[in-house]
Amino acid sequence: MASSPRSPVSADGYQRFDDEPNVTLRLEGSYGASPKYGSMLSCPSSDSRNRMTPRQNMDTPNEVSQRIGVGAMDNEGLSENATLARYTVGLDADMHWEMNYHEAAIFLEEGRNNEKFDSHPRHPEDLPAYLLVHNSWYYGLDLLTSLILLALAFVEEPAVPLFQLPVWAHGSIELMALIIIGIELALKLRWIGWGTILKHKRTMIKCMTLAIMFVEAMTVLVRQSSHFRVTRALRPIFLVDTKYCGGVRRFIRQILQTLPPILDMLGLLLFFILTYMVLGYYMFAEMNRNFETLQDSFVSLFVLLTTANFPDVMMPSYSKSKWYAIYFVSYLCTMLYVMMNLMLAVVNETFTTAERDKFKKLLLHKRRACQHAFKLLVSKQNPDKMQFRQFRGLMRYYAPQKSIRDVLLMFRHMNVAGNGTLSSDEFIEVYDATTLQWDPQYSSIPWYHAAWQPLQILCKGAHAAIVWPYFETLVYGVIIGNGVAMVARLIEPASSLQQSAHAFAASWDTFLFVSLFLLEAFIKVLGLGTRRYLSSGWNLFDLGASGLALGAGFCLLLFPAATFFVVIRPLRLLTLFKIKKRYRDVFGTLVILSPLMCSTAIVMLVLYYFFAIIGMELFAGYDMRNCCINTTVEDFYKYSANGSTALGYYYLNTFDNLMASGMTLFELTVVNNWFILMNAYAFTVGLYTRVYFMVFYLFTMIVLTIVVSSFLEAFRFRIQYKRSTSKRDEEKMLHEEVELRWDEVRSVVQDFYLLEQLRSALVVGGITTFIGSRPRTREVLQHRMYTHEIYEWLAEAEMEEKRTGSGPIGSFDELESGDVILRGDHVILNGQSLSPLRQNGATSPT
C-alpha cells in the first residue's frame, strides 16, 4: 500500500513503518542527537548528520540525483551514492523490520531474565558483542571457566598430595581463566558502557574481584610461591554470575532482603546473651570453669544456644545447688524456644512478603518489556495493533524452535478479541503463550487408530485393562506383595552380609516383581501412548524405579561386594504414599520446591567453599593429634600410633585440603559437639579463631532459617492453592483449547508459502482444534493464586504511567522509514553506510 510523504513520529517516540513500505528519500540539515528509527539498533553513532527531504514525484533515478545535488552539495560521488540508495531502498525497509524483530526479541529476553533495560544495546555496533554474550556457547564457556577456577582449590597448596600441582601450572591455569572472564566482561561492558557500571552492582563487584585476583595470580607466578590468599574465597562470584545460576542469584537476593529482620532479632539475642553472661559470671565464676571469665561466659552461653554443651555446662553449678538450674532453664526457654522461634516467624513473614513482591516486580518488569517490544512491532497504518506478520518475525528471534503452526496457535490464543490482530494488553500474554505445548485434539480417536492392525488389537486390550476399575488396585497389591517379600528377605537368616544383600535385591522374587512392574509400564504405554504416559510424573518415577531395581539386581550378581545397591529395591514402595492426600500435597510441594532446593544447595556449597578457603588459610598444617593436653577437650584428640590408648578421632577434623575442610564444616553445621572443634583450634592456634567458628554458625543458621521459611511458605502456598482450586479448575488452568478455522487462518496469515506449510497440520476448509498444555510450575500457580492482586498491580502501573506520562521509550530523535543521511562522502540509509555497496554490492542488517 502507498505511504504518505512523511511518516509521522508517534507521541511515545517510536517510529511507525508501513505494513508494505514505499520508502522515500529526504534531505534536511540536522545536527545534534543521534537519529533513531523504529529499532534503536539502527542508530549510527556519528553525531553530525545531513538529512534528505522527502521526494514528491521522482520517476527516475536521475531525479533523485538532481534533488540531492540541489539540496546539498554539487558532488558527483554523492550523486552516485544517492542513486544507489534509491536502488536498495526496498531491501532497507525489510532490514528495518528485521532489526525491529530482533530488538523486540531482546526486550522480551531482558524481561524474562529480569535484566535491567539500561543495559539494553543502543547502537548497531553494540549488537555483535550483545549477541556473542547471549548465546549458548558463551554461557557454556562462562560456566566452564568459573568451575575451573573453583576446582583450582583442589590442586593448590594445601591439597591432597595426589592432586597437588606445581605453582606454575595452577597459576597459569588461573591466569588463563581470569583472562577469559576478563574478555567476556569486556564484551558485556561493550554495550553496557563504563558509565553505567555503578548502577550494576553485580558487574561492579565482579570487575573489582577480577582485578584483585588478576594481580594476585600475577604475583604468585612471579614469586613462584603462594601467599595468604583469602581472596580465593571470592571465586564463587564468577559462578553465581553465570547464566545458569539465575535462581541462585534470586535466592541470594532474597537472603539479603530478609537480612534486616534477622539482624534485628540477632541484636535482641545478643542483648539477652550479654545479660545472662554478666549474671552467669558473677554467679558461677568460682564454682564453674565454664564461667571463669567474661569471655568464657559468652562462649559457653553462645554454645548453649545450640544445645551442643547441654547439660555439661550446667552440671558443675547444678552439683552445688539444684536452684541454679533455674538460670539455665530460663535461658534456654527464653532463647531457644521463644526468641529463636520468634525469629523464624519473623523471617517467614518477611520471606513470604519478599516472595510476593518478587513475583509482582517480575510481572511488571515483563509487562514493561512487552510494552517496549510492542512499540517496535506495530506499523504506521496500525499503531495500536500487531499483525501476524510482525508476530511471526518476532518469534523467529525469540522462539526460533517454534514451528509456524505453534506460532499461529500462540497468536490465536493471545488474540482474545478474535479480530486477527494483537493489542498491547493481549501481547502481554506472550510469555505464557510460549510455554504452551500444542497437540491436536482427538477426543474420540486413540493414538493407535492408524497403527498396524495387530498392534491396534494389542493396544485396545491394553487400554481396556487400564480403564478397568480394579487395575490400580491390582498394581497396589503387587507393590504391597513386593514389600512383604522384602521384609521376609530381611528376617531370613544368612551366613554373610553379602548373601543377605543378594537375597534382598538380586533373588528370584526381585526379578519377578520388577518384571511385573515393567509389564505394567508396557501396558500403560500401549494404552495411553508414549507421550501421554511420560507426561505423568508418577509414571516417570515408577518406570525409573523399576529400571533401577532391575539394574541393581544384575549389578549385585556381577559384583556381590557392592551391597549399597540394596537401597534401590524399596524405592517403588513410595508409590503407596500417593494414596493419601496429605502425602500427595507433600510430594507436590517437593516438586514446586525442586528449583529452590537446587538453588539452596548451590548457595550452601558456595558458603562452604568460602569458609573452607578461609579455614585452609588459617588452620592448614596444624597437627591436631594430642593437641589439647590439660584442656577440656583433651580426650577427644588423643592419638596413639600403636593403638595402646583409646582414640578420640577428632584429630581427623582438619583444614588440610578442600575435601577435609568441607567435612569439618559439615560437622560444624550439624552443631553436635561443634564447640569441641572450636575450642581445640582456639587452644592450638589462638583464642581469636573462635570468631571464625561463631561467624560460620551464624551464617549457616541464617541460610537454614531462610530455607525453612521457604519450605513453610511453599507448603502453605500449596495448601491454600489446593483449597481454592478444584481439580477441574486446575485442569482448565493447565490446558488451553484453540480452534483454527481455515478461512480465518487465511485472513490472518496472508502468505501463500506459509499457508502451504500449514495445509498438512490443519483441515483445509474446516476447523482444527488444538490443546495447549503448560507446565505445572510455581509461577503458573502464583498466577492463579494472585489473580485479584494482578489486576490491582496492573491498574496501579497504568495509573502511575498516566500520572508521570512515562512511556516505554520516548526521548529519541527519530527518522522515518526511507531516510537517507548524508555524511561526508558516505550515504547512510536507515543507519547503514552504503559506500561498501560500491565494492561488495550488499549490506548486512547488523
Side-chain angles (χ1 to χ4, degrees):
M1 62 183 66
S3 64
S4 59
R6 292 181 62 89
S7 298
V9 178
S10 61
D12 55 27
Y14 278 86
Q15 174 64 41
R16 307 297 186 220
F17 302 128
D18 294 305
D19 289 326
E20 296 177 2
N22 178 20
V23 190
T24 59
L25 306 173
R26 64 190 173 109
L27 176 64
E28 294 177 357
S30 177
Y31 300 88
S34 298
K36 294 284 185 179
Y37 303 91
S39 169
M40 290 177 293
L41 296 180
S42 60
C43 172
S45 57
S46 177
D47 291 334
S48 89
R49 303 284 191 271
N50 288 318
R51 299 184 184 176
M52 300 185 66
T53 57
R55 63 184 175 100
Q56 302 300 324
N57 293 304
M58 297 184 180
D59 300 324
T60 64
N62 291 334
E63 284 189 70
V64 180
S65 304
Q66 293 171 2
R67 290 182 180 272
I68 293 176
V70 173
M73 61 187 71
D74 189 10
N75 188 298
E76 181 180 356
L78 181 59
S79 183
E80 180 183 0
N81 284 339
T83 304
L84 192 54
R86 169 91 183 278
Y87 179 77
T88 59
V89 72
L91 176 63
D92 186 72
D94 292 335
M95 180 185 67
H96 250 311
W97 277 113
E98 290 300 317
M99 285 185 172
N100 280 22
Y101 299 152
H102 203 165
E103 185 174 9
I106 291 174
F107 272 125
L108 292 185
E109 290 173 357
E110 290 171 338
R112 181 184 59 191
N113 299 330
N114 199 21
E115 297 177 358
K116 296 180 179 180
F117 295 129
D118 56 4
S119 61
H120 186 82
R122 300 292 178 180
H123 301 288
E125 58 267 25
D126 299 337
L127 189 58
Y130 183 90
L131 296 179
L132 184 61
V133 171
H134 291 78
N135 69 83
S136 57
W137 289 101
Y138 172 87
Y139 297 148
L141 179 62
D142 195 20
L143 178 63
L144 178 63
T145 306
S146 303
L147 292 177
I148 289 175
L149 270 180
L150 293 177
L152 285 177
F154 288 99
V155 298
E156 295 171 327
E157 187 182 0
V160 178
L162 179 63
F163 301 145
Q164 187 168 339
L165 294 178
V167 175
W168 67 266
H170 66 71
S172 301
I173 296 174
E174 180 181 10
L175 189 63
M176 182 62 64
L178 292 175
I179 291 175
I180 293 175
I181 293 177
I183 294 174
E184 295 170 348
L185 191 59
L187 289 173
K188 184 177 181 179
L189 294 176
R190 176 64 179 83
W191 81 85
I192 291 180
W194 292 93
T196 59
I197 191 174
L198 296 178
K199 299 179 182 179
H200 297 263
K201 298 181 177 61
R202 194 173 78 241
T203 304
M204 181 176 62
I205 294 174
K206 186 176 180 179
C207 289
M208 295 173 59
T209 305
L210 180 65
I212 294 173
M213 297 187 69
F214 185 83
V215 173
E216 286 204 328
M218 290 294 296
T219 304
V220 169
L221 282 175
V222 171
R223 296 177 63 243
Q224 284 297 300
S225 64
S226 188
H227 53 275
F228 187 75
R229 293 189 60 190
V230 292
T231 54
R232 293 189 299 157
L234 301 178
R235 286 173 179 170
I237 290 177
F238 303 116
L239 175 66
V240 172
D241 191 56
T242 59
K243 165 71 174 180
Y244 302 104
C245 291
V248 178
R249 292 194 297 272
R250 285 191 290 271
F251 186 73
I252 293 176
R253 192 180 301 115
Q254 285 181 289
I255 293 177
L256 297 177
Q257 292 172 348
T258 316
L259 270 183
I262 291 179
L263 295 179
D264 293 340
M265 294 303 300
L266 287 180
L268 192 58
L269 287 174
L270 181 61
F271 170 78
F272 282 108
I273 292 177
L274 292 177
T275 302
Y276 273 90
M277 175 193 73
V278 175
L279 178 61
Y281 172 71
Y282 285 108
M283 289 178 61
F284 310 127
E286 297 179 353
M287 68 179 73
N288 192 333
R289 60 180 180 177
N290 295 298
F291 295 87
E292 287 182 353
T293 63
L294 288 175
Q295 181 182 0
D296 292 336
S297 300
F298 178 82
V299 172
S300 298
L301 292 176
F302 188 91
V303 176
L304 185 57
L305 186 63
T306 67
T307 69
N309 62 346
F310 188 79
D312 296 342
V313 71
M314 180 186 72
M315 300 314 292
S317 302
Y318 188 70
S319 64
K320 302 295 181 181
S321 174
K322 302 300 185 292
W323 292 104
Y324 287 142
I326 298 176
Y327 171 87
F328 297 95
V329 171
S330 63
Y331 175 80
L332 284 177
C333 289
T334 302
M335 302 295 289
L336 184 63
Y337 298 115
V338 176
M339 300 305 300
M340 295 297 288
N341 289 327
L342 184 60
M343 182 172 70
L344 177 60
V346 172
V347 171
N348 183 52
E349 177 61 26
T350 306
F351 187 88
T352 303
T353 304
E355 185 71 19
R356 181 175 175 272
D357 292 341
K358 181 186 72 173
F359 175 77
K360 174 184 177 181
K361 291 179 180 178
L362 182 59
L363 176 72
L364 296 180
H365 185 71
K366 286 183 176 180
R367 173 181 175 271
R368 193 69 168 171
C370 290
Q371 289 177 337
H372 285 294
F374 184 82
K375 299 299 181 181
L376 293 167
L377 299 172
V378 293
S379 63
K380 182 176 63 177
Q381 289 80 5
N382 298 285
D384 298 321
K385 301 292 182 181
M386 184 192 304
Q387 305 288 338
F388 176 76
R389 183 168 67 91
Q390 281 79 28
F391 182 74
R392 176 177 173 270
L394 167 69
M395 288 298 110
R396 288 206 311 269
Y397 291 100
Y398 181 67
Q401 73 281 1
K402 296 289 184 181
S403 65
I404 181 61
R405 186 205 68 175
D406 292 343
V407 173
L408 178 61
L409 287 167
M410 292 163 53
F411 184 86
R412 182 64 183 85
H413 166 65
M414 296 163 58
N415 185 210
V416 179
N419 56 5
T421 58
L422 294 180
S423 65
S424 178
D425 293 334
E426 291 174 337
F427 183 68
I428 291 177
E429 300 298 324
V430 64
Y431 289 106
D432 175 66
T434 53
T435 64
L436 293 171
Q437 298 293 329
W438 299 95
D439 291 303
Q441 173 62 22
Y442 300 113
S443 57
S444 59
I445 304 177
W447 73 272
Y448 47 83
H449 72 282
W452 183 41
Q453 186 63 30
L455 180 60
Q456 286 191 37
I457 298 174
L458 187 61
C459 293
K460 287 179 181 178
H463 187 268
I466 293 172
V467 298
W468 183 45
Y470 299 102
F471 180 78
E472 288 296 328
T473 304
L474 180 62
V475 172
Y476 288 139
V478 175
I479 295 174
I480 293 173
N482 182 38
V484 173
M486 285 190 291
V487 174
R489 291 296 185 181
L490 282 175
I491 62 177
E492 183 181 21
S495 59
S496 64
L497 287 177
Q498 291 186 7
Q499 182 181 357
S500 177
H502 179 275
F504 180 81
S507 58
W508 65 268
D509 55 284
T510 300
F511 294 105
L512 173 63
F513 283 107
V514 169
S515 300
L516 292 176
F517 294 146
L518 293 177
L519 177 62
E520 173 217 355
F522 180 70
I523 292 174
K524 288 184 176 180
V525 169
L526 288 178
L528 301 176
T530 304
R531 184 164 185 176
R532 187 176 174 187
Y533 175 80
L534 296 178
S535 63
S536 171
W538 279 110
N539 288 340
L540 287 174
F541 173 79
D542 294 341
L543 182 62
S546 302
L548 288 175
L550 182 63
F554 283 115
C555 288
L556 274 174
L557 292 177
L558 296 175
F559 309 102
T563 56
F564 56 85
F565 283 113
V566 298
V567 73
I568 303 297
R569 186 178 179 184
L571 290 180
R572 189 60 197 271
L573 294 177
L574 283 175
T575 309
L576 296 174
F577 287 92
K578 74 176 182 179
I579 300 176
K580 191 174 179 57
K581 181 179 181 300
R582 179 63 64 183
Y583 289 125
R584 291 200 301 270
D585 291 335
V586 170
F587 289 128
T589 304
L590 288 177
V591 172
I592 296 175
L593 282 173
S594 55
L596 178 63
M597 288 190 291
C598 292
S599 300
T600 302
I602 296 176
V603 170
M604 290 300 298
L605 290 177
V606 166
L607 186 66
Y608 273 39
Y609 188 93
F610 179 84
F611 279 94
I613 294 296
I614 298 177
M616 290 161 62
E617 295 292 344
L618 291 174
F619 308 123
Y622 285 97
D623 188 358
M624 304 304 293
R625 293 174 293 185
N626 298 318
C627 64
C628 305
I629 300 177
N630 298 327
T631 64
T632 56
V633 297
E634 177 182 0
D635 294 338
F636 297 96
Y637 285 88
K638 284 184 177 180
Y639 173 78
S640 176
N642 55 13
S644 58
T645 59
L647 302 181
Y649 294 111
Y650 272 69
Y651 62 86
L652 298 174
N653 298 314
T654 65
F655 292 86
D656 290 340
N657 54 72
L658 190 63
M659 291 181 287
S661 300
M663 191 63 226
T664 303
L665 291 176
F666 183 78
E667 293 185 29
L668 294 175
T669 304
V670 178
V671 303
N672 186 34
N673 285 345
W674 73 278
F675 68 97
I676 295 176
L677 300 176
M678 176 181 68
N679 288 333
Y681 279 99
F683 296 144
T684 304
V685 182
L687 296 179
Y688 67 92
T689 57
R690 283 173 171 165
V691 176
Y692 169 84
F693 296 93
M694 291 183 178
V695 171
F696 175 77
Y697 168 75
L698 291 177
F699 269 81
T700 53
M701 182 189 67
I702 290 173
V703 174
L704 293 178
T705 300
I706 294 176
V707 171
V708 172
S709 299
S710 65
F711 281 28
L712 292 175
E713 194 273 337
F715 190 78
R716 184 175 60 181
F717 172 82
R718 172 78 178 179
I719 297 301
Q720 291 176 351
Y721 165 76
K722 295 294 287 186
R723 288 176 179 174
S724 62
T725 307
S726 64
K727 189 68 176 178
R728 180 181 177 86
D729 293 337
E730 186 176 22
E731 287 299 320
K732 291 174 62 178
M733 179 190 66
L734 297 176
H735 298 87
E736 300 289 346
E737 181 177 319
V738 172
E739 290 184 350
L740 292 181
R741 300 176 182 270
W742 181 253
D743 294 338
E744 293 182 0
V745 170
R746 291 177 61 186
S747 63
V748 170
V749 176
Q750 296 180 349
D751 189 300
F752 174 78
Y753 296 103
L754 296 182
L755 290 173
E756 287 298 315
Q757 297 179 35
L758 290 170
R759 282 181 179 272
S760 60
L762 305 180
V763 177
V764 179
I767 302 175
T768 311
T769 304
F770 292 86
I771 299 297
S773 303
R774 56 173 59 91
R776 193 194 307 266
T777 60
R778 182 182 179 86
E779 185 177 358
V780 172
L781 302 184
Q782 284 177 324
H783 273 280
R784 175 67 176 84
M785 285 294 296
Y786 297 143
T787 301
H788 300 292
E789 289 87 345
I790 287 174
Y791 289 136
E792 295 176 0
W793 297 336
L794 294 179
E796 291 174 1
E798 290 178 359
M799 291 179 62
E800 180 66 20
E801 290 175 356
K802 291 179 180 178
R803 185 181 64 84
T804 59
S806 60
I809 303 176
S811 60
F812 301 129
D813 178 20
E814 303 190 44
L815 288 177
E816 57 197 66
S817 179
D819 288 345
V820 174
I821 305 167
L822 305 182
R823 184 185 63 192
D825 59 347
H826 288 73
V827 175
I828 307 296
L829 176 61
N830 292 332
Q832 303 297 321
S833 176
L834 297 182
S835 57
L837 289 173
R838 304 176 64 179
Q839 295 146 358
N840 303 328
T843 59
S844 171
T846 55

